[in-house]
Amino acid sequence: MSKLLILYTGGTIGMAPTPAGLAPLPGYLPAQLQRLARDGVSWDVVEYPQLIDSSAITLADWQKLVADLAAAYDRYDGFVVIHGTDTMAYTASVLAFALENLAKPVIVTGSQLPLGHPRSDGWGNLADAIEAACQPDLHEVAIAFNRLLLRGCRARKVDAASFAGFDSPNAAPLARFGIQAAWDKTQWRRGSGAFRAVAPQPARIRSGLLLPGSMAAEFGQWLAADTPQAAILLSYGNGNAPADAALLDGVRQASARGCVVVNLTQCVHGAVEVGAYAASQPLAQAGAVAGADMTPEAANAKLLYLLAQGLDAATVRAAVARDLRGELSAH
């Protein structure tokens, strides 16, 4: 018998029509879950008092979710987190890093259409999430969506108009759900050491998207004037950026003051590869850390996890470039 804890935080899956549009309907989803009852599995459901649209998620919500999972960790075999799709990949990444040495499945799911809709994808997503949460050797935070199981710190929301809402562009799925579940256990990670939770703490993390024109100089000037703890720069292609003096000086000054500048690519597929093009060299020489094929969602979560531990900038930089949860491909 597998005993699961299902945490319902909100999202489209449990919403109902209102005069202002779709909104969460308290009590509805826990009652509907009984339709998925099956032999060999039992669960407890915790419906959060304030069900939210995930676009409104805050650091405090992540802290509560991490605390609730940590407090219940020893009492359950697996966990399902029901969540809105807009920030699901952010939350899955936060949980992947916050839940250190995880030895049980934590599956995040939701839907594009509410359960009450006649074509809702929620039923299949919930059924797949429950099945994944019953796998004792799945030591991962994962997203179950559209018949795929994706590593949480690899997943991205890629479509707001179809049921194929999520993908992990640079990593193979952990499972595919057809008539039979096809578990790709060669992809699964194995934890070691004692479980602990490292809840994210307030941190000054900023991000910038390079655009052709003046954006490079503005990003550099901003870094130089208001140095945060960390910054995520979304550059072009393999990590390329113009050799703009203001940009490079800003990265150099911020890095010298202890800011961890992470260089990620705007491309969905591929990675930052310093040296692939000459234009990828100046940022690295100024102090930016190459984020390889890490997603922006994972980079944000990884920085929160590292900064929450009070590590010095050099240690954070080294850890950003090292694979911790399967967020980076081996090169």
Side-chain angles (χ1 to χ4, degrees):
M1 172 71 75
S2 294
K3 186 174 184 181
L4 309 181
L5 176 63
I6 300 177
L7 300 177
Y8 173 37
T9 68
T12 298
I13 194 167
M15 289 185 177
T18 74
L22 289 172
L25 181 62
Y28 174 72
L29 189 139
Q32 295 300 310
L33 282 170
Q34 298 309 310
R35 294 174 56 181
L36 296 175
R38 50 186 264 197
D39 292 339
V41 185
S42 67
W43 55 69
D44 295 327
V45 182
V46 174
E47 179 179 83
Y48 280 14
Q50 298 296 323
L51 298 172
I52 62 169
D53 184 299
S54 74
S55 63
I57 201 160
T58 66
L59 184 73
D61 295 315
W62 284 334
Q63 290 172 331
K64 174 174 173 52
L65 193 51
V66 171
D68 289 346
L69 289 165
Y73 185 78
D74 292 331
R75 305 198 308 274
Y76 294 91
D77 301 308
F79 304 87
V80 174
V81 177
I82 299 174
H83 196 285
T85 61
D86 281 350
T87 56
M88 184 182 291
Y90 287 93
T91 294
S93 287
V94 165
L95 294 180
F97 287 100
L99 303 177
E100 191 173 278
N101 296 322
L102 188 64
K104 299 177 181 182
V106 176
I107 312 301
V108 187
T109 195
S111 69
Q112 301 282 57
L113 287 175
L115 285 181
H117 193 286
R119 293 188 297 104
S120 176
D121 55 325
W123 295 109
N125 291 344
L126 284 170
D128 293 342
I130 289 169
E131 184 162 359
C134 293
Q135 305 305 307
D137 50 350
L138 179 62
H139 303 166
E140 301 250 9
V141 175
I143 286 178
F145 216 90
N146 192 43
R147 303 310 192 190
L148 295 175
L149 188 69
L150 308 172
R151 175 165 291 141
C153 57
R154 286 287 200 158
R156 305 202 71 186
K157 185 172 182 180
V158 296
D159 197 331
S162 79
F163 292 138
F166 289 83
D167 191 13
S168 51
N170 291 298
L174 303 177
R176 297 178 185 273
F177 299 100
I179 294 175
Q180 300 291 330
W183 308 103
D184 187 357
K185 295 189 178 184
T186 63
Q187 303 288 333
W188 297 9
R189 295 174 62 84
R190 296 291 180 267
S192 61
F195 169 79
R196 73 165 183 151
V198 181
Q201 300 301 317
R204 296 184 66 238
I205 301 173
R206 303 292 183 260
S207 64
L209 175 73
L210 280 188
L211 300 171
S214 62
M215 187 61 213
E218 290 175 3
F219 186 81
Q221 292 163 0
W222 167 76
L223 274 180
D226 181 26
T227 302
Q229 290 172 272
I232 298 170
L233 174 63
L234 291 163
S235 61
Y236 308 119
N238 291 114
N240 305 326
D244 182 277
L247 170 65
L248 299 177
D249 188 56
V251 171
R252 192 175 297 109
Q253 287 188 47
S255 298
R257 294 178 190 145
C259 175
V260 179
V261 182
V262 182
N263 182 18
L264 300 181
T265 176
Q266 297 177 22
C267 298
V268 175
H269 296 272
V272 171
E273 298 181 37
V274 177
Y277 290 85
S280 66
Q281 297 278 12
L283 279 175
Q285 292 166 354
V289 180
D293 60 354
M294 190 161 40
T295 67
E297 296 90 339
N300 178 67
K302 191 173 188 177
L303 288 167
L304 284 172
Y305 163 73
L306 295 169
L307 293 171
Q309 299 174 73
L311 304 173
D312 62 75
T315 302
V316 173
R317 286 192 188 98
V320 165
R322 190 171 68 249
D323 181 47
L324 302 181
R325 302 287 193 273
E327 74 280 6
L328 297 175
S329 298
H331 292 288

